[in-house]
Amino acid sequence: MMLNAENRKTALLLIPIILVLAGYVLYPSIETTIESFQRDGTATLKNYGDFFGSKASSNLEALWNSVYISILSVLFSALIGVPLAFIFNRYDFPGRKFFSGAAIMPIVLPSLVGVMSFMFLYGEAGLVPNAFKDLFNLSKVPFSIGGVPGILLVHAYTMYPYFYMTCSSAINNIDPSLEDAAYNLGSNRWTVFWKVTFPLLTPALVAASLLVFMVSMASFSAPFLLAGGFRVLSLQIYFSKINGNLEMAATQSVILSVVSISFLLFMRWFQNRRDYRMASKGIGAHRSEVSNPFLKWTMVCLGIVAMIILLLPHATLLILSLVPEGTWTWQIYPTTFNLENYILLFKDTSIWDPVRNSLFMAFVASLGCFAFGIITSYALVKRKFIGKNLLDILVMIPWALPATVVGMNLILAFNKPTPFSFGQTLVGTFWILPLAYFVRFIPLVVRSTSAVLEQLDDSIEEAAQNLGAKWFYTFRKIVLPIIMPGVLSGTLLAFVQAVGEFPTSVLLYTLSNRPISIEIMNQLRMFNLGQAAAYGMIQVGLIAVVLFISYKFLGVKSEKTM
Amino acid sequence: MSAVNLSNITKKFGNVTAVKELDLKIEEGEFFTFLGPSGCGKTTTLRMIAGFYYPTAGKVKFNDRDMTTVPPEKRNTGMVFQNYALFPHMTVAENVAFGLKVRKLERSKVKEKVKEVLGKVRLEKFIDRQVSQLSGGQQQRVALARALAIEPDILLLDEPLSNLDARLRDEMRTEILRLQRDYGITTIYVTHDQVEALSMSDRIAVFNEGRCQQIGTPTEIYNDPVNDFVAEFIGETNLYNVAYENNRLHCADLGMDIQVEEPLDERLRNQELKISIRPEAVKVSDEEITGLNVLRGKVKIVQFTGAAVHTLIELSKGVQLKVTTLNEGPFTYLQEGVEVVLQLPPEKIRVVPSIRERA
Ligand SMILES: Nc1ncnc2c1ncn2[C@@H]1O[C@H](COP(=O)(O)OP(=O)(O)OP(=O)(O)O)[C@@H](O)[C@H]1O
Ligand SMILES: [Mg+2]
């Protein structure tokens, strides 16, 4: 029967997908799980005993810290993001468009670079506290960030865009006539908000909360730079690994994975549940013009102040990147500015090497994501087969797993020769990092590709087939060109994120493939803030260019880029 | 050009039977229409001919070649999709050329052919347009041109006009017929619009719930429906239950025996029966009529539609009769409320088996 030919095609597509997922996602996770049940070569539950037992209370403490920091991060991000979304989408006042564009600026800062700029600004030696000290002639800095408040501040700053963007699009999807109907039935503003608007926003709020919770459970850079003696789980994994206690690192990874994957499953369930999202189309948000002049200008002023605070990290990064090495030692403010840090990139190979490494490895990884993403999305969206749901979950797992865990998994899987590494030991070689980046960013490309593929009507492919085109010809000439914008925007995003990736890099780098983020840490350690900032600027510049291209040429909205 | 032969086709999706035991032969060059209500299996049948579905049982043949499991790209059918399915990233010319390039035609030949076909559908001017910049009717023509360009053995059209407004639909109907005659191509047309089916087709197959009810020319289908479903689905009709007893057809609703021209077919005698008479076949008058099947009633509603006048007549409590007369001037219209005499001419009455449950 011909049906078998269709099935054969599907099977042919699925074989590479399953091999890759099994080899680089499933197998490493399994190795980690096995390792977590071992102590000195024998199977045991001891590691878990140590984790939960009284002996190592530090682990439980770290788990608890991770959880409560994540909950507080959700709360603070929501407190900033949701009101901003309301103000910018419901009220019209001078500069609204500009402010709403600037409100998503935190997303161009890779996490390590973001934390670094916060340290430059508000840390012990930061510009702002020292400016206060200078202005008021104090004997020591009046405040500085660090520890839990520092982590929370950075989290709120980097994660509120999740709330801002999901809420903005939800608000714009609410049919204004619903609220009008409620007013018409005699409700006041308060009732309308709580009884109509808020329930309609609930799905978006829940989705954003889950997302922020997962991201902050996985957060590595902020605790790494700011925690001091404070323990969180993602950091504990790193310390266990550094101390050579791989079994404990594995145990901690398993526990963090369990939390993250349950969240992934919960999120899937939540999004697939029928919700009361609106079907009515083509309704723009109706914005009320703020007419009271006092209120209007207060809003504008508040907007300006908020923008300054939001963009201060970017500005600081730019300014510090112009400060040459050795010119800012005891002074409160830097005094010399020039382009030396950038010029050195081209002159000094030891400074250029990390950039080249990062670019090359990110390129290789995103090329892999590109090819793998296209095949996988196509199979998931357009083909029928048993176990599709399972494959879908498997593909999304690298997204749910914290980067530290992905790193640990790869270490435990490839610190010995395996068939998946063609009989090589990958750990300690150049190729382990591109592999890590590839695994990390598969879901990004799959998601952006699936989104466009779902838009592609099945009859388009059928029409080509009907005109005599074979499957592969149709795929090349019809499907690929149509979905290319979505694939490219996902791939570009994967590329820039790989360039900025810190947690897996710090676990897996070697001398030969030292990427930018590692070099930033080195420069910070040597107090060469200028060079570190210059590296940061390269990443920010790349991200900005990619977002611009996606927006301008690929027609991708900023909220899709999360 | 090919004849299409479907023998004993069944198609199941899980436990839904979309098409049941379908036997059908479509002649070379014929304009053949699948007509039926929504969900009756028309698209499914068409897609089995195009090769997008394979039948659960039965055979699909083009001429004498068994095509049952031949993949769609090897069938040389030209399909026009309901949503056109134009390739959005190509121009009009590229869309039309697609099938020709697949067939590895020379570049100059492709160009020539594209020009010719676009000329046929009167779109030469738009040859380099992006398809997204065309109106609905123009997109429809591109879809047609694209299907015709490959000189298909069979042209398949799945409700090609349902996305167009009424005027454009009329225009495209003529256009499609003209092209079909020009190319002399075997054409299968899917619609649930009976006017479209009656006015365009050489023959029609009427579907209901996965079964083909009747195959015939438009006049056969209209004048000699095989059952009450077909009678009611195609055009307007008056249906009444009748009982066959002692060589007579008794109609309880009308309260009389009905006389028909021909004696009842042996095979029908044990079935539930109905009589069907078209509204335009009923004779109506405000004077006495003599002859068979004469009834009395009272005019309830008169509806003027231009060329014709529809009159609803109440015969007795709850029993009504629709009558259509040609508009022959204001004096001929009946007044609401007046008593009239009616006749159901025996030669116009059809006795059909009932396949629908009694209301
Ligand atoms: N791919 C499918 N999977 C499952 N059921 C299907 C599928 N395609 C069609 N069906 C079912 O088969 C039956 C016939 O569908 P089909 O599309 O052939 O109807 P149709 O006559 O074309 O109706 P319409 O006029 O609405 O287009 C329907 O009950 C439909 O739900
Ligand atoms: Mg259909």
Side-chain angles (χ1 to χ4, degrees):
Chain A
M1 275 278 287
M2 267 315 293
L3 269 175
N4 294 337
E6 279 301 300
N7 288 347
R8 243 193 333 258
K9 247 174 252 160
T10 309
L12 232 57
L13 272 176
L14 285 179
I15 288 170
I17 298 173
I18 288 170
L19 275 181
V20 167
L21 287 178
Y24 305 117
V25 177
L26 205 56
Y27 164 69
S29 303
I30 292 169
E31 279 292 304
T32 302
T33 314
I34 292 173
E35 182 78 16
S36 76
F37 285 107
Q38 280 189 351
R39 178 74 61 85
D40 306 323
T42 47
T44 166
L45 281 173
K46 261 208 189 110
N47 295 316
Y48 289 90
D50 282 359
F51 189 100
F52 290 105
S54 53
K55 199 169 123 203
S57 60
S58 59
N59 280 322
L60 264 186
E61 187 192 320
L63 176 61
W64 163 240
N65 286 343
S66 286
V67 170
Y68 96 73
I69 284 192
S70 302
I71 292 174
L72 286 179
S73 300
V74 170
L75 198 70
F76 289 130
S77 312
L79 283 178
I80 303 175
V82 179
L84 275 187
F86 262 97
I87 294 171
F88 289 144
N89 290 295
R90 280 299 168 83
Y91 297 100
D92 214 358
F93 51 91
R96 184 194 71 83
K97 259 209 148 115
F98 172 75
F99 292 143
S100 67
I104 58 166
M105 285 313 274
I107 64 172
V108 303
L109 285 181
S111 58
L112 178 68
V113 177
V115 181
M116 181 172 78
S117 338
F118 264 74
M119 281 181 37
F120 292 160
L121 269 173
Y122 310 109
E124 184 78 42
L127 288 168
V128 174
N130 279 294
F132 272 100
K133 182 178 146 198
D134 189 34
L135 271 176
F136 301 107
N137 273 321
L138 304 171
S139 57
K140 45 184 188 111
V141 289
F143 63 89
S144 73
I145 59 161
V148 180
I151 297 176
L152 284 176
L153 188 68
V154 173
H155 279 188
Y157 174 80
T158 49
M159 294 172 197
Y160 88 81
Y162 294 123
F163 273 97
Y164 175 73
M165 293 197 276
T166 43
C167 277
S168 292
S169 72
I171 289 171
N172 288 330
N173 281 335
I174 293 179
D175 184 344
S177 57
L178 286 177
E179 289 176 17
D180 294 347
Y183 285 122
N184 180 257
L185 295 169
S187 321
N188 58 24
R189 263 173 185 272
W190 183 251
T191 347
V192 168
F193 179 79
W194 284 112
K195 299 277 168 177
V196 180
T197 317
F198 188 73
L200 287 171
L201 285 184
T202 319
L205 289 177
V206 175
S209 304
L210 289 170
L211 201 63
V212 170
F213 188 90
M214 282 174 71
V215 173
S216 44
M217 277 301 280
S219 167
F220 183 79
S221 310
F224 187 79
L225 286 178
L226 296 172
F230 189 73
R231 298 171 210 278
V232 297
L233 202 47
S234 54
L235 210 54
Q236 287 299 101
I237 297 175
Y238 172 73
F239 288 136
S240 299
K241 188 255 166 181
I242 294 291
N243 295 334
N245 190 353
L246 285 186
E247 285 129 356
M248 187 37 81
T251 312
Q252 290 158 339
S253 297
V254 169
I255 285 166
L256 196 50
S257 307
V258 168
V259 176
S260 304
I261 292 176
S262 3
F263 262 81
L264 171 73
L265 296 178
F266 181 60
M267 215 157 145
R268 270 176 64 91
W269 169 81
F270 182 78
Q271 282 171 348
N272 290 340
R273 210 180 46 136
R274 273 175 163 276
D275 56 34
Y276 25 71
R277 222 167 297 159
M278 296 294 99
S280 36
K281 282 184 278 182
I283 308 140
H286 60 166
R287 298 195 184 90
S288 29
E289 187 134 359
V290 181
S291 45
N292 178 338
F294 175 72
L295 203 61
K296 178 158 89 181
W297 293 110
T298 314
M299 275 176 123
V300 174
C301 288
L302 276 178
I304 292 172
V305 171
M307 287 317 108
I308 291 174
I309 295 175
L310 275 180
L311 295 179
L312 216 48
H314 306 69
T316 312
L317 200 64
L318 177 64
I319 291 168
L320 289 194
S321 76
L322 300 174
V323 176
E325 184 174 5
T327 63
W328 186 27
T329 44
W330 50 269
Q331 301 94 329
I332 297 173
Y333 311 110
T335 48
T336 323
F337 301 98
N338 59 36
L339 289 174
E340 192 184 303
N341 291 324
Y342 294 98
I343 294 167
L344 276 180
L345 279 174
F346 299 101
K347 279 217 199 116
D348 188 340
T349 49
S350 69
I351 297 207
W352 168 246
D353 276 350
V355 179
R356 197 202 53 203
N357 286 341
S358 272
L359 290 178
F360 178 71
M361 292 189 295
F363 176 76
V364 173
S366 46
L367 208 64
C369 289
F370 175 81
F372 184 78
I374 291 175
I375 305 177
T376 309
S377 309
Y378 183 80
L380 282 176
V381 177
K382 296 288 178 193
R383 294 268 144 181
K384 282 197 202 114
F385 53 90
I386 303 162
K388 196 166 177 168
N389 226 342
L390 204 68
L391 187 70
D392 198 24
I393 291 174
L394 205 57
V395 169
M396 291 318 287
I397 279 182
W399 176 79
L401 288 184
T404 337
V405 173
V406 173
M408 264 332 285
N409 287 352
L410 290 177
I411 289 177
L412 292 169
F414 297 114
N415 57 7
K416 53 190 173 288
T418 69
F420 298 115
S421 53
F422 308 104
Q424 307 286 314
T425 303
L426 281 184
V427 173
T429 70
F430 183 89
W431 290 102
I432 187 78
L433 260 190
L435 177 65
Y437 297 165
F438 167 69
V439 172
R440 280 270 286 148
F441 300 116
I442 286 171
L444 208 66
V445 182
V446 170
R447 281 217 298 193
S448 69
T449 310
S450 299
V452 276
L453 265 177
E454 272 156 18
Q455 302 292 313
L456 182 73
D457 199 303
D458 287 346
S459 62
I460 297 263
E461 259 182 279
E462 285 171 357
Q465 233 186 336
N466 176 257
L467 293 167
K470 289 231 171 50
W471 176 79
F472 190 61
Y473 190 86
T474 308
F475 187 76
R476 244 174 356 118
K477 295 280 177 162
I478 306 291
V479 180
L480 262 191
I482 296 176
I483 65 170
M484 206 34 102
V487 189
L488 277 184
S489 75
T491 310
L492 281 174
L493 210 63
F495 176 78
V496 289
Q497 297 217 3
V499 170
E501 172 74 7
F502 178 57
T504 48
S505 304
V506 79
L507 282 170
L508 298 166
Y509 79 96
T510 67
L511 209 59
S512 68
N513 64 5
R514 188 173 36 121
I516 296 181
S517 49
I518 299 302
E519 192 57 25
I520 288 181
M521 290 306 301
N522 284 342
Q523 298 290 347
L524 283 180
R525 221 168 269 141
M526 297 186 290
F527 293 103
N528 186 3
L529 307 188
Q531 194 63 54
Y535 280 127
M537 278 309 291
I538 295 178
Q539 299 186 1
V540 172
L542 271 178
I543 295 181
V545 167
V546 159
L547 288 185
F548 178 76
I549 291 176
S550 299
Y551 183 76
K552 204 76 184 172
F553 300 106
L554 307 174
V556 177
K557 291 227 185 98
S558 52
E559 60 249 36
K560 297 253 177 67
T561 53
M562 296 190 310
Chain B
M1 247 203 301
S2 291
V4 179
N5 201 339
L6 307 180
S7 49
N8 208 21
I9 298 268
T10 296
K11 176 67 186 172
K12 287 187 183 157
F13 295 107
N15 47 17
V16 179
T17 307
V19 176
K20 219 184 238 164
E21 293 155 18
L22 174 66
D23 262 308
L24 200 61
K25 190 161 178 1
I26 298 161
E27 305 294 339
E28 257 178 45
E30 191 171 29
F31 194 112
F32 196 94
T33 299
F34 295 166
L35 178 64
S38 191
C40 66
K42 307 177 298 278
T43 300
T44 307
T45 311
L46 198 74
R47 290 170 66 85
M48 282 190 285
I49 297 173
F52 295 124
Y53 295 151
Y54 300 121
T56 314
K59 272 196 168 23
V60 179
K61 281 187 185 165
F62 292 178
N63 293 333
D64 288 326
R65 276 203 306 150
D66 185 352
M67 305 295 271
T68 315
T69 56
V70 173
E73 67 266 23
K74 296 199 181 122
R75 294 197 180 198
N76 201 36
T77 61
M79 181 142 170
V80 176
F81 292 79
Q82 188 170 0
N83 60 355
Y84 318 137
L86 297 179
F87 307 132
H89 58 302
M90 297 183 177
T91 62
V92 170
E94 286 166 341
N95 262 282
V96 178
F98 184 87
L100 302 170
K101 283 190 189 148
V102 172
R103 284 167 175 69
K104 304 228 160 62
L105 232 66
E106 269 171 54
R107 208 170 262 255
S108 58
K109 287 241 178 74
V110 171
K111 233 176 168 174
E112 208 174 291
K113 183 83 194 169
V114 169
K115 266 218 176 107
E116 180 207 315
V117 182
L118 283 176
K120 277 266 203 291
V121 298
R122 308 199 175 107
L123 276 181
E124 310 95 319
K125 275 188 288 183
F126 300 96
I127 189 158
D128 286 320
R129 278 271 187 104
Q130 216 60 43
V131 288
S132 53
Q133 301 166 342
L134 298 177
S135 71
Q138 290 163 340
Q139 294 189 1
Q140 180 66 75
R141 281 165 213 251
V142 176
L144 254 173
R146 186 177 68 180
L148 287 171
I150 61 169
E151 297 181 3
D153 295 324
I154 302 153
L155 185 62
L156 305 171
L157 305 125
D158 190 359
E159 304 198 31
L161 306 183
S162 61
N163 284 341
L164 302 179
D165 65 54
R167 236 202 152 68
L168 207 53
R169 203 149 51 203
D170 265 354
E171 200 178 300
M172 285 306 296
R173 237 181 249 166
T174 328
E175 189 90 7
I176 288 174
L177 265 184
R178 181 177 64 80
L179 289 167
Q180 197 260 343
R181 299 276 136 84
D182 263 17
Y183 283 91
I185 196 169
T186 312
T187 300
I188 303 176
Y189 190 95
V190 168
T191 182
H192 50 231
D193 180 333
Q194 37 151 327
V195 179
E196 216 161 272
L198 291 173
S199 62
M200 296 173 82
S201 325
D202 294 322
R203 280 194 306 154
I204 300 174
V206 183
F207 284 71
N208 186 35
E209 291 176 359
R211 279 188 184 278
C212 177
Q213 305 290 334
Q214 185 172 7
I215 300 171
T217 62
T219 49
E220 280 166 8
I221 298 266
Y222 188 82
N223 294 332
D224 279 311
V226 293
N227 56 37
D228 60 338
F229 171 81
V230 176
E232 205 170 21
F233 190 74
I234 316 282
E236 288 278 322
T237 197
N238 296 294
L239 281 174
Y240 302 100
N241 292 317
V242 289
Y244 183 75
E245 291 155 0
N246 316 327
N247 281 329
R248 291 181 316 168
L249 281 170
H250 182 73
C251 180
D253 285 340
L254 302 180
M256 61 193 272
D257 284 351
I258 299 289
Q259 309 294 327
V260 293
E261 211 178 33
E262 285 172 22
L264 193 63
D265 194 309
E266 290 278 350
R267 281 166 301 176
L268 291 182
R269 290 192 180 166
N270 297 322
Q271 300 187 26
E272 250 176 62
L273 298 174
K274 283 187 179 175
I275 53 165
S276 157
I277 181 156
R278 301 283 179 193
E280 68 274 14
V282 178
K283 278 193 190 148
V284 59
S285 162
D286 42 11
E287 287 157 27
E288 200 55 49
I289 304 178
T290 50
L292 298 167
N293 303 335
V294 175
L295 294 156
R296 272 156 221 291
K298 194 164 152 191
V299 175
K300 222 174 159 202
I301 298 171
V302 178
Q303 217 175 33
F304 176 71
T305 64
V309 182
H310 300 297
T311 314
L312 190 67
I313 292 164
E314 185 160 76
L315 301 173
S316 60
K317 196 111 190 96
V319 183
Q320 297 177 333
L321 182 76
K322 285 172 278 189
V323 178
T324 300
T325 44
L326 277 180
N327 178 9
E328 286 169 8
F331 301 109
T332 60
Y333 306 161
L334 293 167
Q335 292 297 312
E336 287 180 16
V338 302
E339 302 275 337
V340 287
V341 185
L342 305 146
Q343 190 197 9
L344 314 179
E347 73 277 13
K348 299 277 173 69
I349 296 178
R350 298 286 167 264
V351 183
V352 291
S354 168
I355 61 162
R356 337 195 81 187
E357 301 96 74
R358 279 165 193 267

CSV table of all heavy atoms in Angstrom, one decimal, chain A residues 140-159:
chain,number,residue,atom,x,y,z
A,140,LYS,N,31.6,56.5,54.0
A,140,LYS,CA,31.5,55.3,53.1
A,140,LYS,C,30.3,55.3,52.3
A,140,LYS,O,29.4,56.2,52.4
A,140,LYS,CB,31.6,54.0,53.9
A,140,LYS,CG,30.7,54.0,55.1
A,140,LYS,CD,30.9,52.7,55.9
A,140,LYS,CE,29.9,52.6,57.0
A,140,LYS,NZ,28.9,51.7,57.1
A,141,VAL,N,30.2,54.4,51.3
A,141,VAL,CA,29.1,54.4,50.4
A,141,VAL,C,27.8,54.2,51.2
A,141,VAL,O,27.7,53.4,52.1
A,141,VAL,CB,29.2,53.4,49.3
A,141,VAL,CG1,30.3,53.7,48.3
A,141,VAL,CG2,29.4,52.0,49.9
A,142,PRO,N,26.7,55.0,50.8
A,142,PRO,CA,25.5,54.9,51.6
A,142,PRO,C,24.8,53.6,51.3
A,142,PRO,O,24.0,53.1,52.2
A,142,PRO,CB,24.7,56.0,51.0
A,142,PRO,CG,25.2,56.3,49.7
A,142,PRO,CD,26.7,56.0,49.8
A,143,PHE,N,24.9,53.0,50.1
A,143,PHE,CA,24.3,51.7,49.9
A,143,PHE,C,25.0,51.0,48.7
A,143,PHE,O,25.8,51.6,48.1
A,143,PHE,CB,22.8,51.9,49.4
A,143,PHE,CG,22.7,52.7,48.1
A,143,PHE,CD1,22.7,52.0,46.9
A,143,PHE,CD2,22.6,54.1,48.2
A,143,PHE,CE1,22.6,52.7,45.7
A,143,PHE,CE2,22.5,54.8,47.0
A,143,PHE,CZ,22.5,54.1,45.8
A,144,SER,N,24.8,49.7,48.6
A,144,SER,CA,25.4,49.0,47.4
A,144,SER,C,24.6,47.7,47.3
A,144,SER,O,24.1,47.2,48.3
A,144,SER,CB,26.9,48.8,47.6
A,144,SER,OG,27.1,47.7,48.6
A,145,ILE,N,24.5,47.2,46.1
A,145,ILE,CA,23.7,46.0,46.0
A,145,ILE,C,24.6,44.8,46.1
A,145,ILE,O,25.8,44.8,46.0
A,145,ILE,CB,23.0,45.9,44.6
A,145,ILE,CG1,24.0,46.0,43.5
A,145,ILE,CG2,21.9,47.0,44.5
A,145,ILE,CD1,23.5,45.4,42.2
A,146,GLY,N,23.9,43.7,46.5
A,146,GLY,CA,24.6,42.5,46.7
A,146,GLY,C,23.7,41.6,47.5
A,146,GLY,O,22.6,42.0,47.9
A,147,GLY,N,24.0,40.3,47.5
A,147,GLY,CA,23.1,39.3,48.2
A,147,GLY,C,21.8,39.3,47.6
A,147,GLY,O,21.6,39.5,46.4
A,148,VAL,N,20.8,38.9,48.4
A,148,VAL,CA,19.4,38.7,47.9
A,148,VAL,C,18.8,39.9,47.3
A,148,VAL,O,18.3,39.8,46.2
A,148,VAL,CB,18.5,38.1,49.0
A,148,VAL,CG1,17.1,37.9,48.5
A,148,VAL,CG2,19.1,36.8,49.6
A,149,PRO,N,18.9,41.1,47.9
A,149,PRO,CA,18.3,42.2,47.3
A,149,PRO,C,18.9,42.5,45.9
A,149,PRO,O,18.2,42.9,45.0
A,149,PRO,CB,18.6,43.4,48.2
A,149,PRO,CG,18.9,42.7,49.5
A,149,PRO,CD,19.5,41.4,49.2
A,150,GLY,N,20.2,42.3,45.8
A,150,GLY,CA,20.9,42.5,44.5
A,150,GLY,C,20.3,41.6,43.5
A,150,GLY,O,20.0,42.0,42.3
A,151,ILE,N,20.3,40.3,43.8
A,151,ILE,CA,19.7,39.3,42.9
A,151,ILE,C,18.3,39.7,42.4
A,151,ILE,O,18.0,39.7,41.3
A,151,ILE,CB,19.8,37.9,43.5
A,151,ILE,CG1,21.2,37.5,43.8
A,151,ILE,CG2,19.1,36.9,42.5
A,151,ILE,CD1,21.3,36.2,44.5
A,152,LEU,N,17.5,40.0,43.4
A,152,LEU,CA,16.1,40.4,43.1
A,152,LEU,C,16.0,41.6,42.2
A,152,LEU,O,15.2,41.6,41.3
A,152,LEU,CB,15.3,40.6,44.4
A,152,LEU,CG,15.0,39.3,45.2
A,152,LEU,CD1,14.3,39.7,46.5
A,152,LEU,CD2,14.1,38.4,44.3
A,153,LEU,N,16.9,42.6,42.5
A,153,LEU,CA,16.8,43.8,41.7
A,153,LEU,C,17.2,43.4,40.2
A,153,LEU,O,16.5,43.8,39.3
A,153,LEU,CB,17.9,44.8,42.2
A,153,LEU,CG,17.8,46.2,41.5
A,153,LEU,CD1,16.5,46.9,41.9
A,153,LEU,CD2,19.0,47.0,42.0
A,154,VAL,N,18.2,42.6,40.0
A,154,VAL,CA,18.6,42.2,38.7
A,154,VAL,C,17.5,41.4,38.0
A,154,VAL,O,17.2,41.6,36.9
A,154,VAL,CB,20.0,41.5,38.7
A,154,VAL,CG1,20.3,40.9,37.3
A,154,VAL,CG2,21.1,42.4,39.2
A,155,HIS,N,17.0,40.5,38.8
A,155,HIS,CA,15.9,39.7,38.2
A,155,HIS,C,14.7,40.5,37.8
A,155,HIS,O,14.2,40.3,36.7
A,155,HIS,CB,15.4,38.6,39.3
A,155,HIS,CG,16.3,37.4,39.3
A,155,HIS,ND1,16.0,36.3,40.0
A,155,HIS,CD2,17.5,37.2,38.7
A,155,HIS,CE1,17.0,35.4,39.9
A,155,HIS,NE2,17.9,35.9,39.1
A,156,ALA,N,14.3,41.4,38.7
A,156,ALA,CA,13.1,42.2,38.3
A,156,ALA,C,13.4,43.0,37.1
A,156,ALA,O,12.6,43.1,36.2
A,156,ALA,CB,12.8,43.2,39.5
A,157,TYR,N,14.6,43.5,37.0
A,157,TYR,CA,15.0,44.4,35.8
A,157,TYR,C,15.0,43.5,34.5
A,157,TYR,O,14.5,43.9,33.5
A,157,TYR,CB,16.3,45.0,36.0
A,157,TYR,CG,16.9,45.7,34.8
A,157,TYR,CD1,16.4,47.0,34.5
A,157,TYR,CD2,17.8,45.2,34.0
A,157,TYR,CE1,16.9,47.7,33.4
A,157,TYR,CE2,18.3,45.8,32.9
A,157,TYR,CZ,17.9,47.1,32.6
A,157,TYR,OH,18.4,47.8,31.5
A,158,THR,N,15.6,42.3,34.6
A,158,THR,CA,15.7,41.5,33.4
A,158,THR,C,14.5,40.7,33.0
A,158,THR,O,14.3,40.3,31.9
A,158,THR,CB,16.9,40.6,33.4
A,158,THR,OG1,16.9,39.9,34.7
A,158,THR,CG2,18.2,41.3,33.4
A,159,MET,N,13.6,40.5,34.0
A,159,MET,CA,12.5,39.6,33.8
A,159,MET,C,11.1,40.3,33.6
A,159,MET,O,10.2,39.7,33.2
A,159,MET,CB,12.4,38.5,34.8
A,159,MET,CG,13.6,37.6,34.8
A,159,MET,SD,13.7,36.5,36.2
A,159,MET,CE,15.4,36.0,36.1
